[in-house]
Amino acid sequence: MKRTLLKRVLIPVIAIAFLIAGSSFKGDFFEIAKQIEIFTTLFKELNMNYVDETNPAELMDTAIKNMLEELDPYTKFLNEQDVETFKINNQGKYSGIGAVVRSFKDKILIVEPYENYPADKAGLKAGDEIIKIGDITVSQIQDNADELLKGANNTTVEVTYLRQGQTKTTTINREAIEVDAVPFYKMINENTGYIVLSKFNQKATKQTKEALLDLKNKGANNIVLDLRDNPGGLLTEAINITNLFIPKGELVVTTKSKVKKFNREYKTTNQPVDTEIPLVVLVNGRSASASEIVSGSLQDLDRAVIVGARSFGKGLVQRPLKLTYGTQLKVTISRYYTASGRCIQALDYWNRDEDGNALKNTKFQDFTTKNGRKVQDGGGVLPDIEIATSKTNALTQSLINNHLIFDFATDYFYKNNFEKVSNFNFDESEYANFKTYVGNSNFEFETKAEKALKEVMASEESSLYSSQVTDNYKSLLMAMNKDKTAALEKYKKEIQKNLEDEILKRYFYRNGLYEYHLLNDEAILTATALLKDDSKYKEILGY
């Protein structure tokens, strides 16, 4: 009842109240003031007169979160704890256990321990389920149980966890954690350097520049910059990293907003490191935001060949606005446009389907690069050379979201031994085991066509259909299910790459994964071959 009341009454008025922060008050000052007064009196009367005891803080928190859900997923209310987390992500350092974790109602899952950091030193592995922190059971904590793992340097925390059905305990000594923007770089061969840029925090430009200079000193005449799985970050870092490869004074990105002060042109302000070195940038469906500014603008300026799969398509810019009591509103303030003038935003959050899902852009406009090559807007950055294994599809994503790939990798790790990266081999029999694993699980994958069919047959109109139509419907569903099973083979390359990546991290951490990629990753091999072929490289860029 509370949730219904909030959605029908509180959300519309509080939405207007929040608009006060960015409104110019032109002509609608009275309406805004009126709605704020209505909300204030409503909230007061509700809490004073409701039949049961209410929690004003919880009511307000729920109201705010539900309101913001109606906008885009990047506009968020940040409480004091969220503000601190936001700062940590940008700074790239914090104090804690040094692991990627995922919180559930009754456990905290270790997703990836960082090599030689506290969680790793304490013996924790990916797949371990923390059920108790000190004397506190995780299932008894309503929100943010993982915050209990954080703490000052040189303090300890005891955890109880489940591993392969067995209960274990360990003590973790917290340390200062440094989150590198560039976790790995190395020479691929005697001429080509490889740089992994995993995030755009405050260290991004400094570490990318250091890696670039070091590789050049080691003889690199070509560079592969890997932005795959990079979710983005600071806009200024994206501009400065682009600046490493293009001259001072070049337009990189433009932001456009209804608020004039947010309309800006961002040009490079520093002297570049190298404007001539052949450059390939790798992207995939999880390369977003700042990654797309770098890859999109380097493509627009014909400064790099883009290899991989279409990027995520986030063309929106956020800014944290300070509220009261140490809280903030991270709000979408503008759209960004790459050097050619295109916005690569893929989803339209302001127009939704009947299920409330944002509509995907399907009509693209053509733009031209500096050399006159055709590029398009509205759906992420489309690579100049597409790689099949880098592409995402609904089945692979569903396997990831339902933790089938993660859980299989956990089981695999405890059943197989590999001492060296070079010994790793995920063959046909192992993939067959994965298909059996999926078949024995509760995994359900419903396509849009299936959903539509079921909705039609579940509606009142289904009574109009004959038994023959109903039988045909059942036969069609059965055929679809068979095709879904066959899809595990159809998308084998994409799925197997995700499996291999997840498994390799268990044995050899991130460094081992990157070492394996240098010799086996299709996108890196394609980029390396391209950089050996100077004429083809120049032909793609229109020179």
Side-chain angles (χ1 to χ4, degrees), residues 181-311:
V182 177
F184 183 88
Y185 71 91
K186 190 175 182 178
M187 295 293 290
I188 298 174
N189 53 42
E190 60 183 12
N191 298 313
T192 305
Y194 172 69
I195 302 172
V196 177
L197 177 57
S198 63
K199 50 183 56 67
F200 287 83
N201 59 24
Q202 292 174 2
K203 300 178 180 181
T205 303
K206 178 177 180 292
Q207 291 187 344
T208 304
K209 183 176 181 179
E210 289 173 350
L212 178 59
L213 291 171
D214 190 29
L215 291 170
K216 282 170 63 69
N217 287 334
K218 290 176 178 176
N221 298 318
N222 309 300
I223 293 293
V224 177
L225 178 63
D226 196 341
L227 297 180
R228 290 177 296 180
D229 300 329
N230 186 324
L234 299 172
L235 175 64
T236 52
E237 293 297 310
I239 295 158
N240 291 334
I241 285 169
T242 307
N243 194 174
L244 297 176
F245 303 101
I246 64 174
K248 181 179 179 180
E250 192 83 58
L251 177 66
V252 175
V253 66
T254 303
T255 57
K256 296 180 182 180
S257 169
K258 70 175 184 181
V259 181
K260 287 185 179 180
K261 67 179 180 179
F262 296 144
N263 292 334
R264 288 192 59 183
E265 287 188 342
Y266 292 88
K267 296 183 178 181
T268 51
T269 57
N270 304 313
Q271 292 301 324
V273 171
D274 195 325
T275 61
E276 300 295 330
I277 191 168
L279 176 65
V280 170
V281 178
L282 308 183
V283 297
N284 65 7
R286 292 187 287 272
S287 304
S289 192
S291 294
E292 295 172 299
I293 290 175
V294 172
S295 56
S297 289
L298 288 174
Q299 185 181 50
D300 289 351
L301 296 169
D302 298 304
R303 180 61 189 88
V305 173
I306 313 301
V307 172
R310 187 186 289 275
S311 64

Side-chain angles (χ1 to χ4, degrees), residues 17-65:
F18 259 85
L19 287 175
I20 194 170
S23 174
S24 62
F25 292 98
K26 292 179 181 178
D28 56 1
F29 175 82
F30 173 76
E31 187 62 26
I32 292 173
K34 172 185 171 183
Q35 296 301 332
I36 291 173
E37 185 176 354
I38 290 172
F39 171 75
T40 303
T41 53
L42 181 149
F43 193 65
K44 175 184 174 183
E45 295 298 332
L46 174 67
N47 283 284
M48 287 178 62
N49 297 298
Y50 188 69
V51 62
D52 294 322
E53 285 296 320
T54 60
N55 185 320
E58 285 187 5
L59 282 174
M60 183 63 74
D61 190 61
T62 304
I64 292 171
K65 287 178 179 177

Side-chain angles (χ1 to χ4, degrees), residues 289-334:
S289 192
S291 294
E292 295 172 299
I293 290 175
V294 172
S295 56
S297 289
L298 288 174
Q299 185 181 50
D300 289 351
L301 296 169
D302 298 304
R303 180 61 189 88
V305 173
I306 313 301
V307 172
R310 187 186 289 275
S311 64
F312 181 80
K314 180 180 179 288
L316 305 174
V317 181
Q318 288 72 45
R319 173 174 291 188
L321 302 177
K322 291 183 179 180
L323 305 176
T324 54
Y325 299 103
T327 63
Q328 293 183 3
L329 175 65
K330 184 164 76 76
V331 60
T332 297
I333 58 168
S334 58

Side-chain angles (χ1 to χ4, degrees), residues 36-232:
I36 291 173
E37 185 176 354
I38 290 172
F39 171 75
T40 303
T41 53
L42 181 149
F43 193 65
K44 175 184 174 183
E45 295 298 332
L46 174 67
N47 283 284
M48 287 178 62
N49 297 298
Y50 188 69
V51 62
D52 294 322
E53 285 296 320
T54 60
N55 185 320
E58 285 187 5
L59 282 174
M60 183 63 74
D61 190 61
T62 304
I64 292 171
K65 287 178 179 177
N66 277 278
M67 171 192 68
L68 297 180
E69 280 180 5
E70 302 296 317
L71 302 176
D72 63 75
Y74 314 110
T75 296
K76 294 182 178 179
F77 171 69
L78 306 178
N79 58 32
E80 291 173 276
Q81 186 173 289
D82 295 330
V83 171
E84 190 60 29
T85 301
F86 185 70
K87 288 179 182 177
I88 287 170
N89 289 338
N90 286 338
Q91 292 170 353
K93 56 184 178 181
Y94 66 98
S95 179
I97 69 168
V100 178
V101 301
R102 185 181 297 125
S103 291
F104 296 88
K105 287 183 179 180
D106 58 347
K107 65 186 178 184
I108 297 171
L109 181 69
I110 301 293
V111 175
E112 181 184 356
Y114 298 139
E115 187 174 11
N116 294 324
Y117 275 113
D120 183 38
K121 291 177 183 178
L124 289 174
K125 302 290 184 184
D128 289 346
E129 300 174 0
I130 296 176
I131 55 175
K132 196 173 181 181
I133 303 172
D135 296 326
I136 302 173
T137 303
V138 173
S139 60
Q140 296 176 347
I141 306 170
Q142 287 189 344
D143 296 304
N144 302 316
D146 58 297
E147 289 296 319
L148 296 176
L149 297 174
K150 297 177 183 177
N153 292 351
N154 302 315
T155 60
T156 62
V157 57
E158 185 179 82
V159 298
T160 303
Y161 62 97
L162 293 176
R163 174 185 293 172
Q164 298 288 287
Q166 296 184 348
T167 302
K168 299 175 179 287
T169 60
T170 189
T171 299
I172 308 173
N173 298 303
R174 299 183 183 97
E175 297 176 11
I177 311 299
E178 295 285 334
V179 182
D180 288 328
V182 177
F184 183 88
Y185 71 91
K186 190 175 182 178
M187 295 293 290
I188 298 174
N189 53 42
E190 60 183 12
N191 298 313
T192 305
Y194 172 69
I195 302 172
V196 177
L197 177 57
S198 63
K199 50 183 56 67
F200 287 83
N201 59 24
Q202 292 174 2
K203 300 178 180 181
T205 303
K206 178 177 180 292
Q207 291 187 344
T208 304
K209 183 176 181 179
E210 289 173 350
L212 178 59
L213 291 171
D214 190 29
L215 291 170
K216 282 170 63 69
N217 287 334
K218 290 176 178 176
N221 298 318
N222 309 300
I223 293 293
V224 177
L225 178 63
D226 196 341
L227 297 180
R228 290 177 296 180
D229 300 329
N230 186 324

